[in-house]
Amino acid sequence: MPDISVPAARVRFVLVRTSQPGNIGAAARAIRTMGFSRLVLVAPQRFPDPEATAFAVGADTVLDQAIVVPDLRSAIADCRAVYGATARQRSVALQEFTPREVAPQVHGAALAGDEIALVFGNERTGLENDELALCHGAVHIPAAPDYSSLNLAQAVQVLAYELRVGFLGNPPAPAPHRTDPAASAGQMEGFFEHLSTTLDDIEFHKGRSPETIMLRLRKLFLRAQPDERELRVLRGILADAQRMARLARPR
Ligand code: SAH
């Protein structure tokens, strides 16, 4: 059996605002059985908790090493690929994949040394729109359309299983060589904030919805996967546009 520990070490499972500690424990067990180990908990309602430990059934190492952070941004800042798992097919401005489609993408990125996050929502509400907006792609388990919401830990299990099967297979063709590293999620967020204020500064919106425009632009730039140098050029252009807008403003 091939060893998947090298790519698996690049993958973190991020559980957002989980309310049931039992689900955290069951998720820990799910990822451990598939050869993964990294769990990040965003503002869990109860953790640590005896129920989490009971449901982890021996996968305590995963729980012991779990990282707790206050918000999704800090959970994914250093990642180069962020996938949000959604129970519903929404009109999200995100490319949507099945777990099987995502596996080779994650495999390739992990072998290239990128950090990757798989993000799961709260049991009742799922991922909020602003949380999904931080993701670069959506993963939907093609469940029964009229009853598509799996238990949280079971969704983690399906994703972890598909990744494992993908990792056990042949690695995908290597991505085209990059001279500069791809920008991280945190750097992309900094760019999007800059872009958004610049659009305000140059009075781009003229009554149209800034949110819709930003979702479109996010999709475009996330698809392009700019590297750090390209992002610096784009931010230079934004800074100049802001400077010109300041000069053009009537005093
Ligand atoms: N009622 C919520 C579902 C929450 S289930 C909703 O409709 O959005 C908790 C989490 O499990 C979800 O946020 C998602 O991350 C994951 N999940 C459940 N079913 C899934 C599915 N069919 N595909 C992908 N992820 C799923």
Side-chain angles (χ1 to χ4, degrees), residues 84-88 90 119-127 139-143 148-153 155-156 159:
T86 61
R88 277 169 287 167
R90 304 174 207 224
V119 184
F120 298 81
N122 167 271
E123 291 91 333
R124 202 173 50 79
T125 52
L127 289 170
V139 194
H140 176 71
I141 299 164
S148 63
S149 175
L150 281 74
N151 161 267
L152 169 60
V156 170
L159 259 289

Side-chain angles (χ1 to χ4, degrees), residues 168-190:
L168 287 171
N170 290 329
H177 182 66
R178 281 182 181 279
T179 44
D180 267 18
S184 68
Q187 289 166 332
M188 288 305 289
E189 287 311 311

Side-chain angles (χ1 to χ4, degrees), residues 49-69:
D49 190 277
E51 204 176 302
T53 312
F55 273 81
V57 205
D60 313 48
T61 47
V62 176
L63 283 189
D64 294 344
Q65 291 161 16
I67 296 170
V68 180
V69 294

Side-chain angles (χ1 to χ4, degrees), residues 25-44:
R29 182 181 188 179
I31 70 175
R32 177 79 175 79
T33 53
M34 296 299 119
F36 296 90
S37 59
R38 292 171 63 198
L39 194 58
V40 180
L41 306 171
V42 177

